[in-house]
Amino acid sequence: MSLLRHACIVLLMTLLTLGVGSQAVAQSADPNREISTSVGTADSDIWRQVRSGEVDANYRDTRHDSNYNLINAAGQTWREIRNHWVTPFGLIAMGGMIVMIALFYVIFGRKNLDERPTGRKLFRWSAVERTLHWSVASLFIILALSGLNILYGKYVFRSLFGDAVWGAMISASKVSHNYLGPLFGILLLIILAKFLKHNLPKKHDLAWFKKGGGLIGKGHPDAGFANAGEKVWYWLLATAGVAVIISGLVLNFPNFDQSRDTMMWANVIHAVAALGLTAVAMGHIYIGTVGTEGSLEGMKTGYVDEAWAKEHHNLWYDEVKDQAVDAETLDQSTSDGGEKPAPSQPG
């Protein structure tokens, strides 16, 4: 009897085990049934309520001081703006600028001086001003490249080099962007303050635009120390550049209790302004280097040739032409260990 009773108990336990196991298998094969038994019915009506905010406190998340629901509709809106508007805008702006520069070079070529250089030099940029310029320019290029890598790099480098290399690249881009960004902001504000007096609008600036800045055809419109094109670049830096600085600080220092919505909009503003500036900077770099003869010399040495000053900045040239120095005298002064003459900069 004892043996028979034990056999019955084992048989009963086996049947119970098979029943529970079959129920578990059935639930795992039917996710909807599993959801309904664990958390109640989670149908489209429930998720619609969660998305709209028409739910009680049990559906809130646990983040500190958060007002978001389980589904953050604002985050999805930001993602759509970034992917469908900001990212294509950058490609169109920069790609369009590259095409414009290429076409301009093919059609019009390099803008050479109408007259041969005279060999007499005019002081234009001090050592401090050149240092500021090249520092800001270098930081701008690093930030532009790292930002472009963050925005577009995964579509190129990840597929080419794999996750390991791509991970190192994106990490380096993020660190350099975060730490060099505030330094760029400080130096940009300094350079904007220093060059403000040269970039105030004047009446002759309109004529400069009407004549295409002298880059097309013959003749050169009037220009002071800074021509109208340089002034446009200055004021773009003073507006869009400052927007990049402010929005970047909002993103860089999230510990000042700004909301997630504020940071998402700061991200959009930062990206649009930075991409626009990068596109315009390509034109600025082209004109200041290979596009115009003699332009780069001034920012390298601080001096420009008399012929260049007369053609591109004639109003400024009229103010300082009496201060021209022979190149031989200038070189001799440098070789003797003396300081280069640095007259004032009217304009």
Side-chain angles (χ1 to χ4, degrees):
M1 288 293 295
S2 177
L3 181 61
L4 180 61
R5 185 168 57 249
H6 283 91
C8 291
I9 292 173
V10 171
L11 179 60
L12 180 61
M13 293 178 65
T14 301
L15 293 174
L16 289 173
T17 302
L18 290 174
V20 172
S22 63
Q23 183 180 10
V25 171
Q27 287 184 347
S28 63
D30 186 0
N32 291 330
R33 182 179 177 185
E34 182 179 359
I35 292 176
S36 65
T37 57
S38 60
V39 297
T41 302
D43 54 17
S44 58
D45 291 334
I46 289 294
W47 291 116
R48 192 176 297 111
Q49 289 179 342
V50 171
R51 184 180 179 86
S52 65
E54 299 174 1
V55 293
D56 58 29
N58 293 327
Y59 285 93
R60 304 291 180 179
D61 63 26
T62 58
R63 288 170 293 181
H64 175 64
D65 290 337
S66 176
N67 293 322
Y68 289 105
N69 295 325
L70 187 59
I71 293 181
N72 182 2
Q76 179 62 19
T77 301
W78 166 81
R79 187 176 296 106
E80 291 177 355
I81 293 174
R82 181 180 187 271
N83 293 341
H84 300 303
W85 293 97
V86 175
T87 302
F89 162 75
L91 293 176
I92 293 171
M94 292 183 294
M97 180 59 71
I98 292 173
V99 171
M100 288 175 59
I101 291 173
L103 289 175
F104 189 91
Y105 185 80
V106 170
I107 296 173
F108 299 103
R110 186 188 192 198
K111 185 62 178 178
N112 294 318
L113 295 174
D114 294 338
E115 299 179 4
R116 296 185 61 182
T118 65
R120 290 174 58 79
K121 304 295 183 178
L122 287 167
F123 178 75
R124 184 165 174 84
W125 304 108
S126 69
V128 172
E129 291 167 341
R130 299 199 311 275
T131 301
L132 275 173
H133 174 271
W134 289 116
S135 298
V136 171
S138 300
L139 289 173
F140 184 94
I141 292 173
I142 294 173
L143 292 171
L145 292 177
S146 59
L148 291 174
N149 188 38
I150 293 171
L151 188 59
Y152 300 109
K154 65 181 178 181
Y155 303 111
V156 180
F157 302 115
R158 188 177 185 183
S159 58
L160 286 177
F161 304 120
D163 289 341
V165 174
W166 159 245
M169 290 180 64
I170 201 68
S171 177
S173 296
K174 181 177 181 297
V175 171
S176 62
H177 210 82
N178 289 347
Y179 282 94
L180 295 179
L183 177 59
F184 169 81
I186 294 171
L187 293 180
L188 179 60
L189 293 177
I190 293 174
I191 207 171
L192 289 174
K194 186 168 184 58
F195 296 143
L196 174 61
K197 65 180 181 179
H198 296 309
N199 289 276
L200 298 176
K202 300 291 179 65
K203 290 182 179 180
H204 55 255
D205 292 333
L206 292 176
W208 189 94
F209 284 115
K210 291 179 180 178
K211 295 183 178 180
L215 293 175
I216 302 174
K218 297 292 184 180
H220 295 272
D222 291 340
F225 185 87
N227 61 43
E230 292 168 335
K231 291 179 181 180
V232 169
W233 175 236
Y234 173 91
W235 288 108
L236 279 174
L237 289 173
T239 52
V242 171
V244 168
I245 295 171
I246 296 174
S247 57
L249 292 175
V250 171
L251 296 170
N252 221 16
F253 298 98
N255 49 311
F256 289 106
D257 290 333
Q258 57 265 42
S259 67
R260 290 185 63 191
D261 279 340
T262 299
M263 296 189 69
M264 285 188 290
W265 282 112
N267 177 269
V268 172
I269 294 171
H270 189 81
V272 171
L275 289 169
L277 282 177
T278 301
V280 179
M282 294 178 181
H284 175 75
I285 293 171
Y286 166 76
I287 294 173
T289 53
V290 299
T292 307
E293 181 185 5
S295 292
L296 185 59
E297 178 187 2
M299 198 51 71
K300 287 173 59 178
T301 66
Y303 285 80
V304 295
D305 191 86
E306 194 176 38
W308 181 91
K310 186 177 181 180
E311 290 186 16
H312 296 289
H313 300 271
N314 62 310
L315 300 181
W316 171 69
Y317 168 76
D318 290 339
E319 297 176 350
V320 299
K321 60 185 178 181
D322 295 336
Q323 301 171 1
V325 181
D326 290 332
E328 293 80 3
T329 303
L330 201 59
D331 294 338
Q332 183 65 36
S333 175
T334 304
S335 62
D336 290 343
E339 294 184 358
K340 294 183 179 181
S344 60
Q345 297 177 335

